[in-house]
């Protein structure tokens, strides 16, 4: 398997939305009830501000997108274009952690290094802009990847904006 990472474009949006829907529906089945998975669709998703900012990446195999994710220099921690409470304020790299955002892997490519590839690129890019820490809001299905990548849990919470409480974990990591 040869994986290629590149910056996402607006032309990728239909494929990204389909990949995200599949990942939410499939990869969380061991961690969430069917009701929580349905609620996750209302909470999670693509924030196109990341694409506009050039901080969102896709991983392709033979020209097919198999994963996506990015980082942000903006205050919003998680959620898609449809999510309430988004904040486009720019972060201060000297004070604030950069945000890792919207990490999704095609279920057929899970646990093959796609997520690690994206996380490494996020870390490198955020460090190049002066950030010394990363922060993310992870799902229970993503927590093992983030823990293996050096993130630690700083808060466990539930988001009930989808009508049913969905457990999430806020995690942080220093950039070495």
């Amino acid at each position: 398997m040869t994986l290629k990472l590149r910056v996402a474009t607006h032309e990728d949006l239909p494929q990204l939305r389909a990949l995200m829907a599949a990942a939410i529906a499939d990869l969380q089945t061991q961690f969430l009830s069917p009701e929580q998975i349905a609620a996750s669709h209302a909470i999670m998703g693509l924030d196109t501000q990341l694409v506009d900012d050039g901080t969102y990446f896709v991983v392709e195999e033979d020209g097919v997108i198999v994963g996506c994710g990015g980082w942000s220099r903006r205050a919003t921690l998680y959620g898609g274009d449809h999510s309430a409470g988004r904040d486009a304020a720019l972060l201060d790299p000297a004070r604030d952690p950069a945000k890792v955002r919207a990490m999704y892997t095609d279920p057929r490519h899970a646990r093959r290094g796609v997520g690690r590839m994206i996380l490494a690129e996020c870390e490198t890019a955020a460090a190049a802009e002066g950030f010394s820490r990363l922060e993310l809001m992870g799902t229970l299905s993503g927590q093992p990847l983030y823990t293996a990548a050096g993130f630690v849990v700083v808060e466990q919470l539930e988001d009930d904006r989808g009508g049913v409480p969905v457990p999430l974990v806020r995690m942080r990591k220093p950039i070495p």
Side-chain angles (χ1 to χ4, degrees):
M1 169 171 76
T2 303
L3 300 174
K4 177 185 170 193
L5 185 137
R6 65 171 174 80
V7 174
T9 68
H10 280 272
E11 290 75 32
D12 297 322
L13 295 181
Q15 282 183 284
L16 295 176
R17 288 187 178 105
L19 184 147
M20 290 174 182
I24 291 169
D26 187 85
L27 297 177
Q28 298 189 93
T29 57
Q30 295 178 1
F31 301 91
L32 302 178
S33 70
E35 296 79 18
Q36 289 172 313
I37 291 171
S40 294
H41 289 281
I43 298 167
M44 301 172 193
L46 180 61
D47 182 344
T48 53
Q49 181 70 60
L50 302 172
V51 177
D52 293 341
D53 287 346
T55 61
Y56 202 67
F57 308 107
V58 298
V59 173
E60 295 178 317
E61 180 182 46
D62 298 326
V64 176
I65 297 174
V66 298
C68 54
W71 72 280
S72 182
R73 61 181 72 88
R74 298 182 185 274
T76 299
L77 180 56
Y78 70 104
D81 287 344
H82 61 281
S83 301
R86 293 173 50 204
D87 184 353
L90 292 172
L91 300 169
D92 178 355
R95 184 184 70 230
D96 303 313
K99 312 300 184 195
V100 172
R101 303 278 314 279
M103 297 280 297
Y104 297 93
T105 301
D106 181 310
R108 297 166 295 192
H109 288 79
R111 298 179 195 21
R112 295 188 187 173
V114 173
R116 283 186 179 269
M117 179 183 275
I118 295 167
L119 284 174
E121 186 67 21
C122 291
E123 187 173 307
T124 298
E129 290 199 21
F131 288 93
S132 62
R133 294 175 294 140
L134 296 172
E135 179 178 53
L136 61 82
M137 187 66 78
T139 61
L140 298 182
S141 63
Q143 186 176 354
L145 166 67
Y146 305 133
T147 299
F151 286 83
V152 296
V153 174
V154 295
E155 179 183 14
Q156 296 178 339
L157 58 106
E158 291 182 332
D159 187 325
D160 62 1
R161 290 179 291 169
V164 176
V166 175
L168 298 170
V169 289
R170 181 188 299 251
M171 303 180 80
R172 290 193 185 123
K173 173 188 179 176
I175 297 175

